[in-house]
Each structure stands twice: as structure tokens, then as C-alpha cells.
Amino acid sequence: MGSSSSSMDHIPNAEELMQETGFSAAHLLRLYERFEFLDKDQTGELRPEDFGAIGGLALNPIGDRIISAFFSPGQETVDFPSFVRVLAHFRPNGTNRTRNGTQQEPVNSRTRKLKFAFQLYDQDRDGKISRAELLQVLRAMLGIQVTEEQLQSIAERAIQEADLDRDDAISFDEFKKVQQVSPHPQTPTKETPLHPTEGGR
């Protein structure tokens, strides 16, 4: 165990990151090793192209959207603490406590996971999922399995079901209400295009 804690010394803000994200020291150490592996130039930051070394993302139809979720608008690099905070969205739901014992909303809370999933759709970050953005995700997820006409029909049905204020787009609150029908958000499908994946139940 001593070697693990000494290895933790070179991880920036390790204690705070464990508190905030709920990752154990062992998990944080593995994530740091993975981060260093991806950081080929040893700059302490990752660029979008560094994520190309993750084989599973290359095969994922929305892999580029997942990669872009690591970067704030206008940001071209991500440091280790930010990398860990994004990955924490994929942890099972839980509660984390701050050092003074007060409750904070954990990074992996249902609401924060839904916000993360919402951003995968809301590519222009305007706070709404437009019909065009929904169609982009559906095309990526379903590809050649369905016709363009079927995609349009699925998007239309999803907008009609979720768009409570009838502005032809889906806000985060509307997105969240759609998710309340299911205790565990699901992967988008032809039948449920707005249900995101909840990593690790």
C-alpha cells in the first residue's frame, strides 16, 4: 500500500480528486497511468487527437462526440483533473462527501450524468437539442440500418414526445423529464432515441 501512496504523490490534487469523483487511490493511479500513456508528448495535457489511441472510441459511432465532451468550448487541451472529472460521469451513481462532511452533488449523480449525455446531443452548446442535432446522433447510431425517412420519423416522434414548450427543440429540463420514465437511462435506439447510456449500474 505504501508504494501506491508514494506513487500518488506525483498526481496533481489527488486527495481532492478522490473526494470529488469518488475514485479510489488505485483507480486514480490507473487513470493517471492511462493519461500518461495517451500524453505521448509528455506535456501534461491531452489534445483531441491523443484520444485516437483508445481503440473503443474509434469504433463507437459517437466517439468523436465523446471526445469533444472532454473539452470546454474554445479549449484545445485537457489536463489530468479535468480528464478524471469527465470520466467520473461513467461511475455508478453515488454520493460523495466533502471533507467537512457536507453533502455535495457528486460528479456521477443522475442529474450530472444526464447533463453530460445532453451535451453529447447539444453540439452547439445552446442549451437545446435541435432536430438537426438529434438527426446527427441518430444517423451516427443507426447508420444504414434505417432509411432517411425512418430517421426523420424517429426524430419527429422524439421531438413531439419531449418538446413540452413546443419550440421544436428539447431543453435540458424536457430531456430530464423524458428520462424520468426509466430508472436507468438507456442507450439510444430506434424506439428510445433520447435515452443515453448510464455507465456502470
Side-chain angles (χ1 to χ4, degrees), residues 1-34:
M1 189 82 170
S3 64
S4 169
S5 64
S6 64
S7 303
M8 294 291 287
D9 293 341
H10 63 278
I11 298 178
N13 309 315
E15 284 296 322
E16 292 160 25
L17 281 172
M18 287 189 294
Q19 277 294 322
E20 184 181 342
T21 64
F23 284 122
S24 68
H27 281 127
L28 202 60
L29 190 55
R30 280 199 298 273
L31 290 174
Y32 191 73
E33 289 167 357
R34 184 65 168 173

PDB file of all heavy atoms in Angstrom, residues 1-34:
ATOM      1  N   MET A   1       0.826  -1.199   0.000  1.00  0.00           N
ATOM      2  CA  MET A   1       0.000   0.000   0.000  1.00  0.00           C
ATOM      3  C   MET A   1       0.858   1.246   0.000  1.00  0.00           C
ATOM      4  O   MET A   1       0.519   2.242  -0.569  1.00  0.00           O
ATOM      5  CB  MET A   1      -0.934  -0.044   1.219  1.00  0.00           C
ATOM      6  CG  MET A   1      -1.970   1.031   1.210  1.00  0.00           C
ATOM      7  SD  MET A   1      -3.330   0.497   0.163  1.00  0.00           S
ATOM      8  CE  MET A   1      -4.494   1.728   0.546  1.00  0.00           C
ATOM      9  N   GLY A   2       2.063   1.154   0.673  1.00  0.00           N
ATOM     10  CA  GLY A   2       2.961   2.291   0.733  1.00  0.00           C
ATOM     11  C   GLY A   2       3.405   2.728  -0.634  1.00  0.00           C
ATOM     12  O   GLY A   2       3.518   3.909  -0.919  1.00  0.00           O
ATOM     13  N   SER A   3       3.670   1.776  -1.544  1.00  0.00           N
ATOM     14  CA  SER A   3       4.105   2.142  -2.891  1.00  0.00           C
ATOM     15  C   SER A   3       3.003   2.871  -3.637  1.00  0.00           C
ATOM     16  O   SER A   3       3.244   3.779  -4.412  1.00  0.00           O
ATOM     17  CB  SER A   3       4.546   0.901  -3.671  1.00  0.00           C
ATOM     18  OG  SER A   3       3.449   0.046  -3.848  1.00  0.00           O
ATOM     19  N   SER A   4       1.749   2.478  -3.372  1.00  0.00           N
ATOM     20  CA  SER A   4       0.621   3.151  -4.018  1.00  0.00           C
ATOM     21  C   SER A   4       0.540   4.605  -3.576  1.00  0.00           C
ATOM     22  O   SER A   4       0.347   5.495  -4.382  1.00  0.00           O
ATOM     23  CB  SER A   4      -0.677   2.414  -3.690  1.00  0.00           C
ATOM     24  OG  SER A   4      -1.772   3.176  -4.080  1.00  0.00           O
ATOM     25  N   SER A   5       0.706   4.858  -2.233  1.00  0.00           N
ATOM     26  CA  SER A   5       0.599   6.240  -1.774  1.00  0.00           C
ATOM     27  C   SER A   5       1.779   7.071  -2.249  1.00  0.00           C
ATOM     28  O   SER A   5       1.626   8.236  -2.557  1.00  0.00           O
ATOM     29  CB  SER A   5       0.457   6.294  -0.253  1.00  0.00           C
ATOM     30  OG  SER A   5       1.613   5.781   0.349  1.00  0.00           O
ATOM     31  N   SER A   6       2.980   6.472  -2.346  1.00  0.00           N
ATOM     32  CA  SER A   6       4.112   7.249  -2.847  1.00  0.00           C
ATOM     33  C   SER A   6       3.935   7.549  -4.325  1.00  0.00           C
ATOM     34  O   SER A   6       4.329   8.601  -4.798  1.00  0.00           O
ATOM     35  CB  SER A   6       5.431   6.509  -2.590  1.00  0.00           C
ATOM     36  OG  SER A   6       5.451   5.297  -3.311  1.00  0.00           O
ATOM     37  N   SER A   7       3.313   6.649  -5.068  1.00  0.00           N
ATOM     38  CA  SER A   7       3.035   6.900  -6.482  1.00  0.00           C
ATOM     39  C   SER A   7       2.000   8.004  -6.634  1.00  0.00           C
ATOM     40  O   SER A   7       1.969   8.693  -7.646  1.00  0.00           O
ATOM     41  CB  SER A   7       2.506   5.637  -7.164  1.00  0.00           C
ATOM     42  OG  SER A   7       3.420   4.586  -7.029  1.00  0.00           O
ATOM     43  N   MET A   8       1.142   8.145  -5.630  1.00  0.00           N
ATOM     44  CA  MET A   8       0.099   9.161  -5.677  1.00  0.00           C
ATOM     45  C   MET A   8       0.672  10.563  -5.535  1.00  0.00           C
ATOM     46  O   MET A   8       0.026  11.538  -5.909  1.00  0.00           O
ATOM     47  CB  MET A   8      -0.926   8.928  -4.555  1.00  0.00           C
ATOM     48  CG  MET A   8      -1.725   7.657  -4.679  1.00  0.00           C
ATOM     49  SD  MET A   8      -2.876   7.700  -6.047  1.00  0.00           S
ATOM     50  CE  MET A   8      -4.104   8.806  -5.397  1.00  0.00           C
ATOM     51  N   ASP A   9       1.872  10.677  -5.004  1.00  0.00           N
ATOM     52  CA  ASP A   9       2.466  11.991  -4.752  1.00  0.00           C
ATOM     53  C   ASP A   9       2.608  12.832  -6.016  1.00  0.00           C
ATOM     54  O   ASP A   9       2.550  14.053  -5.951  1.00  0.00           O
ATOM     55  CB  ASP A   9       3.836  11.848  -4.069  1.00  0.00           C
ATOM     56  CG  ASP A   9       3.722  11.282  -2.667  1.00  0.00           C
ATOM     57  OD1 ASP A   9       2.611  11.332  -2.093  1.00  0.00           O
ATOM     58  OD2 ASP A   9       4.737  10.784  -2.149  1.00  0.00           O
ATOM     59  N   HIS A  10       2.835  12.197  -7.151  1.00  0.00           N
ATOM     60  CA  HIS A  10       3.024  12.974  -8.379  1.00  0.00           C
ATOM     61  C   HIS A  10       1.714  13.238  -9.131  1.00  0.00           C
ATOM     62  O   HIS A  10       1.720  13.829 -10.201  1.00  0.00           O
ATOM     63  CB  HIS A  10       4.064  12.308  -9.297  1.00  0.00           C
ATOM     64  CG  HIS A  10       3.660  10.954  -9.786  1.00  0.00           C
ATOM     65  ND1 HIS A  10       3.808   9.815  -9.039  1.00  0.00           N
ATOM     66  CD2 HIS A  10       3.106  10.569 -10.955  1.00  0.00           C
ATOM     67  CE1 HIS A  10       3.365   8.777  -9.720  1.00  0.00           C
ATOM     68  NE2 HIS A  10       2.926   9.204 -10.882  1.00  0.00           N
ATOM     69  N   ILE A  11       0.580  12.814  -8.562  1.00  0.00           N
ATOM     70  CA  ILE A  11      -0.715  13.091  -9.182  1.00  0.00           C
ATOM     71  C   ILE A  11      -1.238  14.420  -8.637  1.00  0.00           C
ATOM     72  O   ILE A  11      -1.424  14.558  -7.427  1.00  0.00           O
ATOM     73  CB  ILE A  11      -1.734  11.967  -8.914  1.00  0.00           C
ATOM     74  CG1 ILE A  11      -1.241  10.660  -9.531  1.00  0.00           C
ATOM     75  CG2 ILE A  11      -3.109  12.342  -9.454  1.00  0.00           C
ATOM     76  CD1 ILE A  11      -2.153   9.480  -9.290  1.00  0.00           C
ATOM     77  N   PRO A  12      -1.460  15.400  -9.518  1.00  0.00           N
ATOM     78  CA  PRO A  12      -1.935  16.707  -9.037  1.00  0.00           C
ATOM     79  C   PRO A  12      -3.306  16.619  -8.360  1.00  0.00           C
ATOM     80  O   PRO A  12      -4.218  15.995  -8.886  1.00  0.00           O
ATOM     81  CB  PRO A  12      -2.014  17.559 -10.310  1.00  0.00           C
ATOM     82  CG  PRO A  12      -1.728  16.662 -11.459  1.00  0.00           C
ATOM     83  CD  PRO A  12      -1.329  15.321 -10.944  1.00  0.00           C
ATOM     84  N   ASN A  13      -3.422  17.222  -7.181  1.00  0.00           N
ATOM     85  CA  ASN A  13      -4.699  17.304  -6.448  1.00  0.00           C
ATOM     86  C   ASN A  13      -5.347  15.946  -6.202  1.00  0.00           C
ATOM     87  O   ASN A  13      -6.575  15.823  -6.252  1.00  0.00           O
ATOM     88  CB  ASN A  13      -5.692  18.204  -7.181  1.00  0.00           C
ATOM     89  CG  ASN A  13      -5.116  19.537  -7.549  1.00  0.00           C
ATOM     90  OD1 ASN A  13      -4.448  20.176  -6.740  1.00  0.00           O
ATOM     91  ND2 ASN A  13      -5.354  19.968  -8.772  1.00  0.00           N
ATOM     92  N   ALA A  14      -4.537  14.912  -5.927  1.00  0.00           N
ATOM     93  CA  ALA A  14      -5.060  13.545  -5.804  1.00  0.00           C
ATOM     94  C   ALA A  14      -6.158  13.432  -4.753  1.00  0.00           C
ATOM     95  O   ALA A  14      -7.226  12.873  -5.022  1.00  0.00           O
ATOM     96  CB  ALA A  14      -3.923  12.570  -5.509  1.00  0.00           C
ATOM     97  N   GLU A  15      -5.920  13.958  -3.560  1.00  0.00           N
ATOM     98  CA  GLU A  15      -6.916  13.844  -2.476  1.00  0.00           C
ATOM     99  C   GLU A  15      -8.231  14.519  -2.858  1.00  0.00           C
ATOM    100  O   GLU A  15      -9.308  13.960  -2.659  1.00  0.00           O
ATOM    101  CB  GLU A  15      -6.373  14.443  -1.175  1.00  0.00           C
ATOM    102  CG  GLU A  15      -5.359  13.568  -0.473  1.00  0.00           C
ATOM    103  CD  GLU A  15      -5.945  12.248   0.012  1.00  0.00           C
ATOM    104  OE1 GLU A  15      -7.106  12.234   0.476  1.00  0.00           O
ATOM    105  OE2 GLU A  15      -5.248  11.229  -0.086  1.00  0.00           O
ATOM    106  N   GLU A  16      -8.132  15.721  -3.400  1.00  0.00           N
ATOM    107  CA  GLU A  16      -9.335  16.459  -3.800  1.00  0.00           C
ATOM    108  C   GLU A  16     -10.085  15.725  -4.910  1.00  0.00           C
ATOM    109  O   GLU A  16     -11.314  15.660  -4.907  1.00  0.00           O
ATOM    110  CB  GLU A  16      -8.968  17.865  -4.264  1.00  0.00           C
ATOM    111  CG  GLU A  16      -8.446  18.745  -3.147  1.00  0.00           C
ATOM    112  CD  GLU A  16      -7.644  19.927  -3.661  1.00  0.00           C
ATOM    113  OE1 GLU A  16      -7.867  20.343  -4.821  1.00  0.00           O
ATOM    114  OE2 GLU A  16      -6.792  20.417  -2.901  1.00  0.00           O
ATOM    115  N   LEU A  17      -9.340  15.168  -5.850  1.00  0.00           N
ATOM    116  CA  LEU A  17      -9.977  14.433  -6.947  1.00  0.00           C
ATOM    117  C   LEU A  17     -10.702  13.197  -6.439  1.00  0.00           C
ATOM    118  O   LEU A  17     -11.801  12.874  -6.909  1.00  0.00           O
ATOM    119  CB  LEU A  17      -8.940  14.031  -8.002  1.00  0.00           C
ATOM    120  CG  LEU A  17      -8.513  15.122  -8.966  1.00  0.00           C
ATOM    121  CD1 LEU A  17      -7.349  14.639  -9.832  1.00  0.00           C
ATOM    122  CD2 LEU A  17      -9.674  15.566  -9.832  1.00  0.00           C
ATOM    123  N   MET A  18     -10.108  12.501  -5.478  1.00  0.00           N
ATOM    124  CA  MET A  18     -10.778  11.322  -4.914  1.00  0.00           C
ATOM    125  C   MET A  18     -12.060  11.737  -4.205  1.00  0.00           C
ATOM    126  O   MET A  18     -13.088  11.065  -4.336  1.00  0.00           O
ATOM    127  CB  MET A  18      -9.832  10.568  -3.967  1.00  0.00           C
ATOM    128  CG  MET A  18      -8.738   9.817  -4.704  1.00  0.00           C
ATOM    129  SD  MET A  18      -7.760   8.714  -3.661  1.00  0.00           S
ATOM    130  CE  MET A  18      -6.937   9.856  -2.586  1.00  0.00           C
ATOM    131  N   GLN A  19     -12.010  12.839  -3.455  1.00  0.00           N
ATOM    132  CA  GLN A  19     -13.207  13.332  -2.767  1.00  0.00           C
ATOM    133  C   GLN A  19     -14.298  13.716  -3.760  1.00  0.00           C
ATOM    134  O   GLN A  19     -15.460  13.371  -3.593  1.00  0.00           O
ATOM    135  CB  GLN A  19     -12.866  14.572  -1.927  1.00  0.00           C
ATOM    136  CG  GLN A  19     -12.286  14.291  -0.578  1.00  0.00           C
ATOM    137  CD  GLN A  19     -13.273  13.595   0.344  1.00  0.00           C
ATOM    138  OE1 GLN A  19     -14.469  13.882   0.346  1.00  0.00           O
ATOM    139  NE2 GLN A  19     -12.779  12.658   1.116  1.00  0.00           N
ATOM    140  N   GLU A  20     -13.895  14.444  -4.788  1.00  0.00           N
ATOM    141  CA  GLU A  20     -14.855  14.989  -5.745  1.00  0.00           C
ATOM    142  C   GLU A  20     -15.468  13.921  -6.642  1.00  0.00           C
ATOM    143  O   GLU A  20     -16.654  13.967  -6.954  1.00  0.00           O
ATOM    144  CB  GLU A  20     -14.145  16.041  -6.600  1.00  0.00           C
ATOM    145  CG  GLU A  20     -15.042  16.753  -7.563  1.00  0.00           C
ATOM    146  CD  GLU A  20     -14.285  17.775  -8.400  1.00  0.00           C
ATOM    147  OE1 GLU A  20     -13.171  18.174  -8.043  1.00  0.00           O
ATOM    148  OE2 GLU A  20     -14.848  18.166  -9.440  1.00  0.00           O
ATOM    149  N   THR A  21     -14.653  12.954  -7.056  1.00  0.00           N
ATOM    150  CA  THR A  21     -15.117  11.988  -8.066  1.00  0.00           C
ATOM    151  C   THR A  21     -15.526  10.639  -7.493  1.00  0.00           C
ATOM    152  O   THR A  21     -16.232   9.885  -8.151  1.00  0.00           O
ATOM    153  CB  THR A  21     -14.011  11.730  -9.113  1.00  0.00           C
ATOM    154  OG1 THR A  21     -12.897  11.106  -8.464  1.00  0.00           O
ATOM    155  CG2 THR A  21     -13.580  13.017  -9.787  1.00  0.00           C
ATOM    156  N   GLY A  22     -15.059  10.322  -6.283  1.00  0.00           N
ATOM    157  CA  GLY A  22     -15.369   9.019  -5.709  1.00  0.00           C
ATOM    158  C   GLY A  22     -14.435   7.917  -6.169  1.00  0.00           C
ATOM    159  O   GLY A  22     -14.589   6.763  -5.761  1.00  0.00           O
ATOM    160  N   PHE A  23     -13.459   8.237  -7.006  1.00  0.00           N
ATOM    161  CA  PHE A  23     -12.482   7.219  -7.413  1.00  0.00           C
ATOM    162  C   PHE A  23     -11.569   6.881  -6.244  1.00  0.00           C
ATOM    163  O   PHE A  23     -11.180   7.764  -5.478  1.00  0.00           O
ATOM    164  CB  PHE A  23     -11.619   7.719  -8.592  1.00  0.00           C
ATOM    165  CG  PHE A  23     -12.311   7.700  -9.918  1.00  0.00           C
ATOM    166  CD1 PHE A  23     -12.451   8.870 -10.653  1.00  0.00           C
ATOM    167  CD2 PHE A  23     -12.807   6.520 -10.469  1.00  0.00           C
ATOM    168  CE1 PHE A  23     -13.084   8.865 -11.886  1.00  0.00           C
ATOM    169  CE2 PHE A  23     -13.443   6.514 -11.695  1.00  0.00           C
ATOM    170  CZ  PHE A  23     -13.575   7.689 -12.410  1.00  0.00           C
ATOM    171  N   SER A  24     -11.216   5.607  -6.117  1.00  0.00           N
ATOM    172  CA  SER A  24     -10.263   5.187  -5.092  1.00  0.00           C
ATOM    173  C   SER A  24      -8.852   5.574  -5.528  1.00  0.00           C
ATOM    174  O   SER A  24      -8.623   5.924  -6.689  1.00  0.00           O
ATOM    175  CB  SER A  24     -10.336   3.670  -4.903  1.00  0.00           C
ATOM    176  OG  SER A  24      -9.836   3.019  -6.075  1.00  0.00           O
ATOM    177  N   ALA A  25      -7.896   5.461  -4.602  1.00  0.00           N
ATOM    178  CA  ALA A  25      -6.494   5.756  -4.927  1.00  0.00           C
ATOM    179  C   ALA A  25      -6.012   4.831  -6.050  1.00  0.00           C
ATOM    180  O   ALA A  25      -5.325   5.276  -6.973  1.00  0.00           O
ATOM    181  CB  ALA A  25      -5.626   5.602  -3.680  1.00  0.00           C
ATOM    182  N   ALA A  26      -6.388   3.565  -5.992  1.00  0.00           N
ATOM    183  CA  ALA A  26      -5.958   2.605  -7.025  1.00  0.00           C
ATOM    184  C   ALA A  26      -6.534   2.981  -8.393  1.00  0.00           C
ATOM    185  O   ALA A  26      -5.826   2.927  -9.404  1.00  0.00           O
ATOM    186  CB  ALA A  26      -6.378   1.194  -6.635  1.00  0.00           C
ATOM    187  N   HIS A  27      -7.815   3.364  -8.412  1.00  0.00           N
ATOM    188  CA  HIS A  27      -8.428   3.772  -9.683  1.00  0.00           C
ATOM    189  C   HIS A  27      -7.762   5.029 -10.227  1.00  0.00           C
ATOM    190  O   HIS A  27      -7.486   5.134 -11.422  1.00  0.00           O
ATOM    191  CB  HIS A  27      -9.933   4.043  -9.508  1.00  0.00           C
ATOM    192  CG  HIS A  27     -10.752   2.805  -9.468  1.00  0.00           C
ATOM    193  ND1 HIS A  27     -11.632   2.554  -8.449  1.00  0.00           N
ATOM    194  CD2 HIS A  27     -10.834   1.753 -10.310  1.00  0.00           C
ATOM    195  CE1 HIS A  27     -12.215   1.391  -8.659  1.00  0.00           C
ATOM    196  NE2 HIS A  27     -11.756   0.881  -9.780  1.00  0.00           N
ATOM    197  N   LEU A  28      -7.528   5.990  -9.335  1.00  0.00           N
ATOM    198  CA  LEU A  28      -6.916   7.242  -9.750  1.00  0.00           C
ATOM    199  C   LEU A  28      -5.513   6.995 -10.320  1.00  0.00           C
ATOM    200  O   LEU A  28      -5.138   7.586 -11.333  1.00  0.00           O
ATOM    201  CB  LEU A  28      -6.857   8.210  -8.566  1.00  0.00           C
ATOM    202  CG  LEU A  28      -6.732   9.680  -8.917  1.00  0.00           C
ATOM    203  CD1 LEU A  28      -7.919  10.146  -9.749  1.00  0.00           C
ATOM    204  CD2 LEU A  28      -6.628  10.517  -7.651  1.00  0.00           C
ATOM    205  N   LEU A  29      -4.790   6.102  -9.691  1.00  0.00           N
ATOM    206  CA  LEU A  29      -3.452   5.770 -10.167  1.00  0.00           C
ATOM    207  C   LEU A  29      -3.517   5.141 -11.562  1.00  0.00           C
ATOM    208  O   LEU A  29      -2.739   5.486 -12.453  1.00  0.00           O
ATOM    209  CB  LEU A  29      -2.766   4.832  -9.175  1.00  0.00           C
ATOM    210  CG  LEU A  29      -1.287   4.572  -9.384  1.00  0.00           C
ATOM    211  CD1 LEU A  29      -0.499   5.870  -9.422  1.00  0.00           C
ATOM    212  CD2 LEU A  29      -0.755   3.664  -8.283  1.00  0.00           C
ATOM    213  N   ARG A  30      -4.471   4.231 -11.771  1.00  0.00           N
ATOM    214  CA  ARG A  30      -4.636   3.612 -13.105  1.00  0.00           C
ATOM    215  C   ARG A  30      -5.015   4.656 -14.150  1.00  0.00           C
ATOM    216  O   ARG A  30      -4.528   4.622 -15.278  1.00  0.00           O
ATOM    217  CB  ARG A  30      -5.679   2.496 -13.053  1.00  0.00           C
ATOM    218  CG  ARG A  30      -5.122   1.205 -12.498  1.00  0.00           C
ATOM    219  CD  ARG A  30      -5.969  -0.007 -12.851  1.00  0.00           C
ATOM    220  NE  ARG A  30      -7.317   0.041 -12.329  1.00  0.00           N
ATOM    221  CZ  ARG A  30      -7.674  -0.377 -11.134  1.00  0.00           C
ATOM    222  NH1 ARG A  30      -6.799  -0.863 -10.294  1.00  0.00           N
ATOM    223  NH2 ARG A  30      -8.927  -0.311 -10.751  1.00  0.00           N
ATOM    224  N   LEU A  31      -5.900   5.578 -13.771  1.00  0.00           N
ATOM    225  CA  LEU A  31      -6.286   6.640 -14.704  1.00  0.00           C
ATOM    226  C   LEU A  31      -5.101   7.536 -15.033  1.00  0.00           C
ATOM    227  O   LEU A  31      -4.937   7.970 -16.177  1.00  0.00           O
ATOM    228  CB  LEU A  31      -7.442   7.469 -14.134  1.00  0.00           C
ATOM    229  CG  LEU A  31      -8.794   6.767 -14.061  1.00  0.00           C
ATOM    230  CD1 LEU A  31      -9.813   7.633 -13.337  1.00  0.00           C
ATOM    231  CD2 LEU A  31      -9.290   6.393 -15.448  1.00  0.00           C
ATOM    232  N   TYR A  32      -4.265   7.795 -14.039  1.00  0.00           N
ATOM    233  CA  TYR A  32      -3.087   8.629 -14.274  1.00  0.00           C
ATOM    234  C   TYR A  32      -2.117   7.928 -15.232  1.00  0.00           C
ATOM    235  O   TYR A  32      -1.556   8.552 -16.136  1.00  0.00           O
ATOM    236  CB  TYR A  32      -2.389   8.964 -12.951  1.00  0.00           C
ATOM    237  CG  TYR A  32      -1.324  10.029 -13.109  1.00  0.00           C
ATOM    238  CD1 TYR A  32      -1.686  11.360 -13.327  1.00  0.00           C
ATOM    239  CD2 TYR A  32       0.025   9.713 -13.057  1.00  0.00           C
ATOM    240  CE1 TYR A  32      -0.721  12.345 -13.483  1.00  0.00           C
ATOM    241  CE2 TYR A  32       0.997  10.690 -13.210  1.00  0.00           C
ATOM    242  CZ  TYR A  32       0.615  12.006 -13.428  1.00  0.00           C
ATOM    243  OH  TYR A  32       1.568  12.972 -13.592  1.00  0.00           O
ATOM    244  N   GLU A  33      -1.947   6.625 -15.041  1.00  0.00           N
ATOM    245  CA  GLU A  33      -1.084   5.855 -15.956  1.00  0.00           C
ATOM    246  C   GLU A  33      -1.650   5.886 -17.374  1.00  0.00           C
ATOM    247  O   GLU A  33      -0.905   6.027 -18.344  1.00  0.00           O
ATOM    248  CB  GLU A  33      -0.937   4.414 -15.457  1.00  0.00           C
ATOM    249  CG  GLU A  33      -0.096   4.302 -14.199  1.00  0.00           C
ATOM    250  CD  GLU A  33      -0.201   2.951 -13.512  1.00  0.00           C
ATOM    251  OE1 GLU A  33      -0.983   2.078 -13.977  1.00  0.00           O
ATOM    252  OE2 GLU A  33       0.481   2.760 -12.488  1.00  0.00           O
ATOM    253  N   ARG A  34      -2.961   5.766 -17.482  1.00  0.00           N
ATOM    254  CA  ARG A  34      -3.606   5.818 -18.801  1.00  0.00           C
ATOM    255  C   ARG A  34      -3.424   7.197 -19.432  1.00  0.00           C
ATOM    256  O   ARG A  34      -3.148   7.322 -20.617  1.00  0.00           O
ATOM    257  CB  ARG A  34      -5.095   5.488 -18.658  1.00  0.00           C
ATOM    258  CG  ARG A  34      -5.842   5.409 -19.947  1.00  0.00           C
ATOM    259  CD  ARG A  34      -5.337   4.257 -20.775  1.00  0.00           C
ATOM    260  NE  ARG A  34      -6.253   4.027 -21.869  1.00  0.00           N
ATOM    261  CZ  ARG A  34      -6.018   3.195 -22.835  1.00  0.00           C
ATOM    262  NH1 ARG A  34      -4.935   2.487 -22.856  1.00  0.00           N
ATOM    263  NH2 ARG A  34      -6.880   3.048 -23.808  1.00  0.00           N
TER     264      ARG A  34
END
